[in-house]
Amino acid sequence: MKKATAMGAAALAMGMLLALPGCGQRDADAPGPAESAGRALDNAVESAGDKVAREVRESKQAADAAARKVSDGAEQAGRNVTDAAELARTRVTDAAATARQNVHDSAEAAGAKLEDAADDASKGLSKATVEVGKSVERAGEKIQDSAGK
């Protein structure tokens, strides 16, 4: 693109140089053909230089914008990984707390069942003791009745 612009300017200048000698009588205050061609060439080079500078500036701006997008994307990806890790840690912590609570609840329930079973056994033992006592008493009465006869 740069070569084409510079070549176009050079071709324009050459064309002007070739056309000027046949233009007829020139005014004494007017610039000569070489001066006119030089100005045209200067203008063409300046225009081409401005265009190249503008294209370089635009390319740099586009590269800077692309670099910002990549950097922003990397930062967002880092935040996403950190957020995912934090969420996983929270879920593991919650699951562990739930498991501890479930074990605690199960142990309490088992303890309560053992206490109930011990109470039932104690009541049964007390009832059996009372029944044995009554049987011993009846047996004692029978022994006394037999001895008294």
Side-chain angles (χ1 to χ4, degrees):
M1 179 96 173
K2 295 175 197 173
K3 275 187 169 180
T5 304
M7 288 177 64
L12 175 67
M14 286 299 268
M16 288 177 61
L17 284 175
L18 292 174
L20 285 177
C23 286
Q25 194 69 11
R26 75 175 186 95
D27 185 7
D29 293 333
E35 188 177 348
S36 294
R39 283 186 187 159
L41 187 56
D42 286 346
N43 290 341
V45 169
E46 184 178 333
S47 175
D50 290 346
K51 183 175 181 183
V52 168
R54 185 174 50 253
E55 288 175 0
V56 167
R57 189 172 46 254
E58 289 171 358
S59 295
K60 184 181 179 309
Q61 289 171 346
D64 289 346
R68 278 192 302 276
K69 283 183 182 180
V70 168
S71 177
D72 292 348
E75 286 179 21
Q76 184 60 46
R79 285 191 295 271
N80 290 348
V81 168
T82 300
D83 292 348
E86 181 63 26
L87 179 61
R89 187 191 66 75
T90 300
R91 286 183 178 170
V92 167
T93 301
D94 291 349
T98 299
R100 278 193 303 274
Q101 187 61 46
N102 289 344
V103 167
H104 180 264
D105 293 347
S106 295
E108 279 189 353
K113 286 181 182 179
L114 285 173
E115 285 180 15
D116 290 347
D119 285 345
D120 288 347
S122 177
K123 289 176 187 175
L125 183 58
S126 293
K127 187 177 178 182
T129 302
V130 169
E131 291 300 318
V132 168
K134 287 180 184 177
S135 294
V136 168
E137 207 175 299
R138 279 192 303 266
E141 287 174 0
K142 284 185 183 180
I143 292 174
Q144 283 178 353
D145 283 346
S146 296
K149 288 189 185 180

